[in-house]
Amino acid sequence: MTVTNVSVQPHNGPSGINGWLILPLIGLLFAPFHYLLRFFSHLITYLTNNIWVTMIELDVSKGQQIFISVTIVVYSLILLLTAVISTILIFHFFKKKRSLPKHMILYYIATAACKFVFGFAFVYISNLLYGVNHEERFEFAAVSMMSFIFTFIWANYFNESQRVHNTFIH
């Protein structure tokens, strides 16, 4: 049996959880709490709100009632799932898992897409039940745009950064 010597190549450039890489980590550390808080506040809002009475009073069609109910349940489940996924990503971040950069990019894309889809759904529901609210539409558009800009910036960072490459890939 022969033992081969494998030489370790030194990293060229920065490595480790420093520099700009600290910002996504800070965001991840707060993410589980943020999504759990949103889950409970969302749940309390829709369980105690008069949305169900309003649907009956406005004679909302069965199809629209099903759409509203399914949207609320799916959104609640996605908030819980996002809290779990962000917790897993925190552990992968500190373990410096090789797959973390790709998972972070997917996480950013998925959260931006969910904000867009569910933001649109909730603006539709709000308009259906309470009438047109232009301020709410503007807020939805602004949040969606910021989410996509944020995703573009951090996805490029995780894809192109020498620090990310040296910390997680090598």
Side-chain angles (χ1 to χ4, degrees), residues 10 18 27 42 47 57-58 80 85 107 109:
N18 295 313
H42 173 79
L47 288 179
E57 287 176 354
L58 291 176
L80 282 178
I85 289 171
Y107 172 77
I109 291 170

Side-chain angles (χ1 to χ4, degrees), residues 20-35 86-87 90 93 104 107-108 150 154:
W20 287 105
L21 196 52
I22 298 251
L23 292 177
L25 177 60
I26 291 170
L28 270 181
L29 290 173
F30 285 106
F33 302 108
H34 169 76
Y35 288 110
S86 59
T87 303
I90 291 168
F93 211 105
M104 287 297 294
Y107 172 77
Y108 288 134
F150 180 81
W154 288 111

Side-chain angles (χ1 to χ4, degrees), residues 24-82:
L25 177 60
I26 291 170
L28 270 181
L29 290 173
F30 285 106
F33 302 108
H34 169 76
Y35 288 110
L36 286 175
L37 179 66
R38 285 189 61 194
F39 169 77
F40 288 115
S41 67
H42 173 79
L43 203 60
I44 289 168
T45 299
Y46 285 106
L47 288 179
T48 61
N49 199 344
N50 291 332
I51 189 171
W52 312 109
V53 174
T54 305
M55 281 196 296
I56 294 167
E57 287 176 354
L58 291 176
D59 198 29
V60 174
S61 73
K62 287 288 183 192
Q64 290 171 329
Q65 288 178 12
I66 291 170
F67 172 77
I68 292 168
S69 302
V70 168
T71 300
I72 291 169
V73 169
V74 170
Y75 182 70
S76 299
L77 292 174
I78 286 178
L79 287 172
L80 282 178
L81 180 64
T82 307

